[in-house]
Amino acid sequence: MSDYDLLLRQAKVKMGTDDSELLDIAIKNGRIVEIASTINNDASVTLDVYGKLTSPPFVESHIHLDSALTAGEPRWNQSGTLFEGIQIWSERKQNLSLEDIKTRAIATLRQQAEQGILFVRTHADVSEPQLIALQGLLEVRDIVKDWITVQVVAFPQDGIFSNPGNEALLEKALQMGADVVGGIPHYELTREYGVKSVERIFELASEYDRLIDIHCDEVDDEQSRFLEVVAACSIRTGMSTRVSASHTTAFGSYNNAYAFKLMGFLQRAQINFIANPLINITLQGRADTYPKRRGVTRVKELWQNGLNVSLGHDCIQDPWYSLGTGNMLDVAHMAVHVCQMTGMPEINACYDMVTVNGAKTLHVEDKYGIEVGKPASLIVLDIDSYYDAIRYRSKPLYVISQGKILTHTTPEVTKWL
Ligand SMILES: [Zn+2]
């Protein structure tokens, strides 16, 4: 009998902050059991991956699986704005069924997994009285758990206080088992409702012991200032790293004096940030003529100030973003461009934003990373650097989940004739 179930030979792994090393990685019973420059024992399956970049899997920090793969239903978003998207979704969600949600969510998760994503935080719209999207995604979380980890955010798309009954629906979603409390303060009817909604989210998270992920200031209005409210609540409650602010696109429009003051508060708060550059570069700035704003939060400056930033695809073929396949390297590639992170340490940081930083945001660090004792979930890419990963954006050669080879992709070969 073999000593190990699976052995990767001479994988190129980045350990800590040092340069990459060529290492053998031994896997048994779903876990990494040994990492060394040479392992002499034998294994049932051996993959010779000499010099290929081997990394922890991609983490999708922000996606809406309930609306994925619905672009054009019932109609195309012609203006390309967030608000037309919300209107189209309100029509499409009249026809939701559990089967519809589950089929599209699982198809999307398969697409994501074959591109190396093994951890996903999805939002579920809980503004609809039957909570069908939530129920469907909670069932999916269980169906797929042997090969991909899914976290579900109870997301009140239409606001908590701007629609009667939504506050109760949000609480019911937590009782049903949502992992994270969501919100959308900039879409509440008034500034006061927005502040009240953030305070209510923190109360619920503390009462039900859940994480927080708020769609925060996803608007070009420089007066949209709910991020400071989220920071204040985090400092007051000490919930810090359990809290994430998604989008925060208005931060890109704040005047520098205010942005500088806010950055100090954010460092005290130590919350996580999730930017979604693919979608926000297309949704935001629609009311601008020229110069036209980029509509993305201050990713580079947050990173330079030591805050945890991860990236999300946000939408795949839905009323807000009709393109995409779920590839996190497309997201990192767009971040390099839109956030002007073209220096080599900055390009490497963008790779971290779709891997290890996402694991911090999702609080899954105990089962994430190439370390002895952790579940063997990792990817092998057909290149040897983060830089080339982002340049080529190809599917991984191998996706290994909890010790099992989940997918193998044959690289493209072009012949000159
Ligand atoms: Zn979103």
Side-chain angles (χ1 to χ4, degrees):
M1 214 176 105
S2 307
D3 299 315
Y4 301 125
D5 301 330
L6 178 60
L7 181 61
L8 270 66
R9 286 224 181 270
Q10 298 300 284
K12 189 170 180 186
V13 184
K14 190 174 170 221
M15 303 300 279
T17 53
D18 300 324
D19 283 344
S20 309
E21 298 174 46
L22 292 183
L23 295 168
D24 289 358
I25 302 169
I27 294 163
K28 193 175 172 71
N29 297 330
R31 291 193 175 262
I32 298 173
V33 289
E34 192 179 350
I35 302 175
S37 26
T38 312
I39 294 175
N40 291 317
N41 312 48
D42 63 337
S44 308
V45 178
T46 299
L47 300 177
D48 183 0
V49 294
Y50 184 84
K52 308 274 188 207
L53 178 66
T54 301
S55 135
F58 296 121
V59 177
E60 169 57 273
S61 313
H62 189 123
I63 187 83
H64 294 258
L65 289 177
D66 52 0
S67 56
L69 314 184
T70 63
E73 301 172 10
R75 58 196 167 81
W76 204 257
N77 183 340
Q78 298 294 351
S79 70
T81 57
L82 173 73
F83 301 107
E84 186 174 348
I86 293 177
Q87 178 57 38
I88 294 171
W89 178 240
S90 74
E91 294 162 29
R92 176 59 174 82
K93 73 186 179 190
Q94 307 303 319
N95 303 318
L96 285 184
S97 68
L98 276 179
E99 230 19 68
D100 171 36
I101 292 278
K102 285 158 66 177
T103 306
R104 285 185 291 99
I106 291 173
T108 310
L109 288 164
R110 286 176 66 90
Q111 207 169 293
Q112 291 174 311
E114 64 194 43
Q115 300 188 85
I117 300 171
L118 294 178
F119 294 88
V120 173
R121 175 178 282 180
T122 178
H123 294 260
D125 182 355
V126 296
S127 302
E128 154 295 293
Q130 310 301 320
L131 295 178
I132 291 170
L134 178 81
Q135 182 62 42
L137 292 179
L138 292 176
E139 288 179 27
V140 166
R141 179 179 72 183
D142 194 49
I143 293 167
V144 302
K145 69 176 187 317
D146 291 338
W147 52 277
I148 192 164
T149 301
V150 174
Q151 239 176 37
V152 181
V153 185
F155 171 51
Q157 172 81 71
D158 302 334
I160 298 175
F161 294 111
S162 299
N163 256 342
N166 277 12
E167 185 186 1
L169 284 171
L170 178 60
E171 184 160 5
K172 186 163 175 222
L174 301 177
Q175 290 161 351
M176 284 167 67
D179 304 283
V180 187
V181 194
I184 187 164
H186 58 279
Y187 196 59
E188 299 285 353
L189 287 169
T190 65
R191 160 90 194 165
E192 288 69 24
Y193 279 1
V195 172
K196 195 170 136 190
S197 78
V198 173
E199 287 168 348
R200 184 68 186 132
I201 290 161
F202 274 78
E203 277 169 18
L204 286 168
S206 145
E207 193 179 332
Y208 288 88
D209 191 23
R210 304 295 155 86
L211 301 172
I212 291 174
D213 189 337
I214 300 174
H215 281 65
C216 189
D217 301 319
E218 189 186 8
V219 63
D220 293 319
D221 175 10
E222 72 284 0
Q223 294 301 317
S224 185
R225 292 183 174 185
F226 294 104
L227 181 52
E228 65 181 19
V229 182
V230 173
C233 288
S234 299
I235 292 168
R236 182 166 50 78
T237 60
M239 290 182 73
S240 64
T241 60
R242 293 175 62 79
V243 178
S244 298
S246 281
H247 297 289
T248 62
T249 58
F251 199 177
S253 293
Y254 296 157
N255 67 70
N256 284 335
Y258 174 69
F260 183 77
K261 179 192 83 167
L262 180 62
M263 192 66 84
F265 294 167
L266 297 173
Q267 284 179 308
R268 277 178 64 193
Q270 285 296 309
I271 58 174
N272 307 296
F273 288 83
I274 303 167
N276 301 289
L278 279 176
I279 175 166
N280 285 127
I281 193 66
T282 55
L283 277 184
Q284 309 307 130
R286 291 279 177 164
D288 291 355
T289 55
Y290 290 92
K292 202 181 258 297
R293 284 169 289 178
R294 291 170 188 239
V296 176
T297 194
R298 300 189 185 207
V299 170
K300 190 186 335 196
E301 292 74 14
L302 288 164
W303 168 69
Q304 286 169 336
N305 281 280
L307 288 150
N308 185 50
V309 184
S310 60
L311 302 173
H313 204 296
D314 199 358
C315 299
I316 303 172
Q317 292 186 287
D318 77 3
W320 295 277
Y321 184 71
S322 58
L323 300 167
T325 62
N327 184 351
M328 292 314 293
L329 291 170
D330 283 345
V331 180
H333 188 256
M334 184 56 84
V336 167
H337 288 77
V338 176
C339 309
Q340 299 187 324
M341 294 187 66
T342 49
M344 192 53 80
E346 295 167 351
I347 289 176
N348 289 337
C350 288
Y351 191 90
D352 287 344
M353 288 178 193
V354 293
T355 51
V356 60
N357 295 11
K360 280 185 204 158
T361 301
L362 268 61
H363 273 241
V364 293
E365 287 163 292
D366 57 328
K367 48 183 176 178
Y368 187 87
I370 301 183
E371 286 170 41
V372 170
K374 289 198 169 168
S377 295
L378 46 91
I379 54 176
V380 181
L381 295 128
D382 192 28
I383 37 81
D384 66 359
S385 65
Y386 290 177
Y387 165 68
D388 270 343
I390 292 176
R391 237 162 47 86
Y392 288 102
R393 305 183 299 287
S394 309
K395 281 184 180 173
L397 285 178
Y398 295 101
V399 177
I400 298 168
S401 176
Q402 301 172 35
K404 282 209 294 243
I405 303 175
L406 197 63
T407 64
H408 169 50
T409 298
T410 310
E412 253 182 8
V413 178
T414 303
K415 285 186 183 158
W416 278 66
L417 303 173

